[in-house]
Amino acid sequence: AEAYRQLESLREAAPQAPAPMGAQIQLLRRAQGNVPERLAKLRMEIDTLDVRGFAGKLDQLRLLHQVGKREGLGEQALGLAETDLLPGERLAMAELLEQFGALDQAVGQIDLVLEGDDDAPELEEWRGDLLQQTGNAYRAREAYERAAAFSRAPRSTSVPMIWSRGEQYFSASRRWT
């Protein structure tokens, strides 16, 4: 209760800041009592935030997702994705779309970034992971093969591990096709 009150004070000082709202949502999700009423109040506050710029709108969509709103968020995110975005913004959008379960759209955002950056094994691996989740074994395998072909290893995994993961998934999925 005390932590929640402290976050309320922070929000009064910076009402548009997403971090205190996000922390409040996490506290409420762990708490017991009149949580639904407080979450509903926060949802209304988040809905009516006067956000500006891409980052603010993205934060607002994330907060609404955290507070439990699901309807219409994917469409709002896709509306933002149609604007002229920088590569980093596209990747943030892909991450948000992945959180919303819009995996095909997330892959589309990664594809747009890859068009301008042909040295991104991390993105190829992420793309493969998303394609694997959508059940597209062939495209996932291709993405893993491209990731493994780079001279530097993507993320924290090794090239043989990526290749192995792609092969295992491809082999398992071929049994069903």
Side-chain angles (χ1 to χ4, degrees):
E2 179 61 29
Y4 191 84
R5 281 191 287 278
Q6 289 176 352
L7 288 169
E8 279 289 321
S9 298
L10 280 174
R11 286 200 41 234
E12 288 173 14
Q16 297 291 331
M21 281 186 182
Q24 279 183 311
I25 293 167
Q26 290 176 1
L27 282 175
L28 287 174
R29 293 232 177 259
R30 289 188 220 134
Q32 298 185 4
N34 62 350
V35 172
E37 294 83 14
R38 286 185 175 177
L39 283 174
K41 181 180 177 232
L42 268 176
R43 179 180 170 175
M44 286 178 29
E45 290 177 34
I46 296 165
D47 262 332
T48 58
L49 283 176
D50 182 28
V51 294
R52 300 189 196 302
F54 175 78
K57 291 175 184 175
L58 207 62
D59 285 338
Q60 183 182 32
L61 291 173
R62 279 194 180 110
L63 287 170
L64 287 169
H65 188 260
Q66 283 180 336
V67 83
K69 180 178 179 179
R70 301 292 185 260
E71 66 280 351
L73 291 183
E75 292 80 15
Q76 289 179 39
L78 289 173
L80 281 177
E82 292 173 4
T83 61
D84 189 25
L85 300 177
L86 298 171
E89 293 171 332
R90 287 233 177 261
L91 295 177
M93 178 59 62
E95 181 183 27
L96 184 68
L97 290 167
E98 179 183 10
Q99 289 172 4
F100 291 173
L103 301 180
D104 289 329
Q105 291 83 356
V107 169
Q109 294 301 306
I110 293 170
D111 287 343
L112 289 171
V113 173
L114 285 170
E115 286 176 9
D117 184 2
D118 61 352
D119 184 31
E122 300 87 358
L123 295 182
E124 288 291 356
E125 182 184 13
W126 184 18
R127 186 174 177 274
D129 292 345
L130 293 173
L131 288 166
Q132 179 178 335
Q133 291 175 51
T134 64
N136 196 326
Y138 291 99
R139 290 180 61 206
R141 180 181 182 190
E142 289 171 356
Y144 289 135
E145 287 173 348
R146 279 192 299 275
F150 284 95
S151 60
R152 61 184 177 89
R155 284 194 262 182
S156 60
T157 58
S158 67
V159 171
M161 180 184 281
I162 294 168
W163 178 259
S164 172
R165 184 172 61 195
E167 274 300 307
Q168 288 172 358
Y169 177 72
F170 182 74
S171 298
S173 64
R174 277 199 347 214
R175 283 184 245 144
W176 303 105
T177 56

